[in-house]
Amino acid sequence: MKSTWIKCAALTVLAGAAAWSAVSALSGINALAGRPETRQKSSFQYEPSCAIEEAEFVLREYDGCIGVFSPQSDDGPITVTDIETRSLREADREIVKNGIAVADREELLSLLEDFGS
């Protein structure tokens, strides 16, 4: 009888310690989430590899997706990807909205791979 009481008391102490640890961990996470230095910065600067006039391609939004355009033509996109702009981070959406000058095919494929992942 006495050993059962000791086991119950030990189990109660362990359960209390586990609950206290969980509450402490969650409050620590919440405190970190509210600190400005731990939040992701919203301003993102993109450095194009070339000017629009020198670009071989330009990436812009087209019908909610990323379109590949020729900088010399206003006829519409050369192709439209299946990458939806709403799936992008806010900073990336803003960059695509403004247009991305792409120097060559290799850079084009690299950017599309980055946006698609």
Side-chain angles (χ1 to χ4, degrees):
M1 182 76 156
K2 194 172 193 177
S3 69
T4 305
W5 184 87
I6 292 173
K7 288 178 185 178
C8 287
L11 185 59
T12 302
V13 169
L14 289 174
W20 178 80
S21 295
V23 168
S24 296
L26 289 175
S27 65
I29 291 170
N30 289 335
L32 282 176
R35 290 176 32 199
E37 63 271 12
T38 60
R39 281 187 253 144
Q40 186 178 11
K41 294 182 179 177
S42 61
S43 63
F44 175 77
Q45 297 295 322
Y46 169 74
E47 293 293 326
S49 62
C50 63
I52 295 274
E53 300 79 28
E54 302 166 337
E56 186 174 342
F57 304 102
V58 176
L59 294 179
R60 286 196 306 261
E61 182 177 5
Y62 184 82
D63 285 342
C65 293
I66 295 178
V68 180
F69 294 80
S70 169
Q72 295 83 19
S73 175
D74 290 333
D75 292 341
I78 297 168
T79 189
V80 179
T81 70
D82 61 350
I83 304 168
E84 296 179 349
T85 54
R86 67 183 173 150
S87 69
L88 302 176
R89 296 179 313 196
E90 181 65 33
D92 291 339
R93 274 196 304 269
E94 194 63 31
I95 292 168
V96 171
K97 178 181 164 188
N98 294 326
I100 300 175
V102 182
D104 54 31
R105 182 173 172 78
E106 185 177 321
E107 183 183 10
L108 172 68
L109 295 175
S110 176
L111 284 169
L112 291 176
E113 182 178 342
D114 289 346
F115 287 134
S117 61

